[in-house]
Amino acid sequence: MNIIIRVLLFFIVLGLLLFLSAGSLRYYEAWIFVSVLFIMGPAVITYFFRKDPSFAANRLLRRREKEPAHRRIQILFLPLFLITFLIPGLDFRFHWSFVPTPLVILSNIMVVLGYLIMAMAMEHNRFASSIIEISKNQKVINTGPYRIVRHPMYTGGMIFFLFTPMALGSFWAVLPFGIVTAIPIVLRILNEEKLLMKDLTGYYDYCQKTKYRLIPYVW
């Protein structure tokens, strides 16, 4: 029941941000985007609840960070992230930019790709969590997408959020989305790796083999 309430609340908040800022229900890009999320989100959550209920309930649904530094990042950037969802709607209302329909569709495909990469990372890593922590008996994962980058969940998240503005029909929102997505992800990775280097056996050796944190051949 808790997860159902969270999902419904998410879609209510997202719909309010998009359609109130747009001032219209004829914002077709928002309908496509929300529909994509409405299909992908519950499908992935249902899959993990059926396959591993304890993983889904105990690790994916927690939101409060334990470490003060991580909590400060969360407190600072979550409101900014929500505010950025107002920009595409305002763009629609005031006609600041025009994204061709084929690019809107392509961007939604990339949103799905980002979501699938995150789901693939969770499939290979049952220690994955929505907060930064190290669990009892946790081990280094080096299979699947973890062979390519050390933080594939964040890679998927970057793809998801960087293409969200164009999926919503806005070029003006690309830079704000990029800033409020990239900065917290980079900070979280750096903080997370300090913790993993210190407390997770074998993580240093894994880093020597898998050189890139987020983007292959870049960083």
Side-chain angles (χ1 to χ4, degrees), residues 75-87:
I75 292 171
L76 175 62
F77 282 95
L78 181 58
L80 293 175
F81 176 71
L82 292 174
I83 289 171
T84 57
F85 273 95
L86 297 173
I87 300 174

Side-chain angles (χ1 to χ4, degrees), residues 28-143:
Y28 85 91
E29 295 95 339
W31 283 112
I32 295 174
F33 180 75
V34 171
S35 298
V36 167
L37 295 192
F38 191 77
I39 294 171
M40 293 297 300
V44 170
I45 291 171
T46 300
Y47 171 79
F48 283 109
F49 260 103
R50 287 183 175 178
K51 185 168 185 177
D52 193 345
S54 62
F55 167 69
N58 296 331
R59 302 191 65 82
L60 298 185
L61 299 183
R62 283 180 290 177
R63 289 293 179 265
R64 183 174 174 79
E65 294 284 1
K66 296 180 178 180
E67 297 294 328
H70 308 157
R71 200 176 302 135
R72 285 194 293 270
I73 295 172
Q74 188 180 57
I75 292 171
L76 175 62
F77 282 95
L78 181 58
L80 293 175
F81 176 71
L82 292 174
I83 289 171
T84 57
F85 273 95
L86 297 173
I87 300 174
L90 294 172
D91 194 338
F92 175 86
R93 176 182 288 200
F94 297 110
H95 310 291
W96 292 336
S97 63
F98 171 73
V99 179
T101 299
L103 184 54
V104 170
I105 295 172
L106 176 61
S107 297
N108 277 284
I109 292 172
M110 295 303 295
V111 165
V112 172
L113 175 63
Y115 209 103
L116 290 176
I117 291 173
M118 289 188 284
M120 188 186 304
M122 290 186 286
E123 175 71 16
H124 282 266
N125 184 9
R126 284 298 187 269
F127 300 102
S129 177
S130 56
I131 64 174
I132 299 174
E133 64 179 353
I134 293 180
S135 301
K136 184 180 178 181
N137 300 323
Q138 183 167 339
K139 62 181 181 178
V140 173
I141 305 298
N142 56 10
T143 59

Side-chain angles (χ1 to χ4, degrees), residues 158-176:
M158 282 285 291
I159 294 172
F160 180 101
F161 289 116
L162 288 179
F163 280 91
T164 288
M166 289 182 290
L168 289 169
S170 175
F171 284 125
W172 278 98
V174 172
L175 182 59

Side-chain angles (χ1 to χ4, degrees), residues 182-196:
I183 293 177
I185 283 180
V186 170
L187 291 176
R188 280 177 63 90
I189 286 175
L190 295 177
N191 279 304
E192 186 171 336
E193 290 208 328
K194 287 181 183 178
L195 181 66
L196 293 171

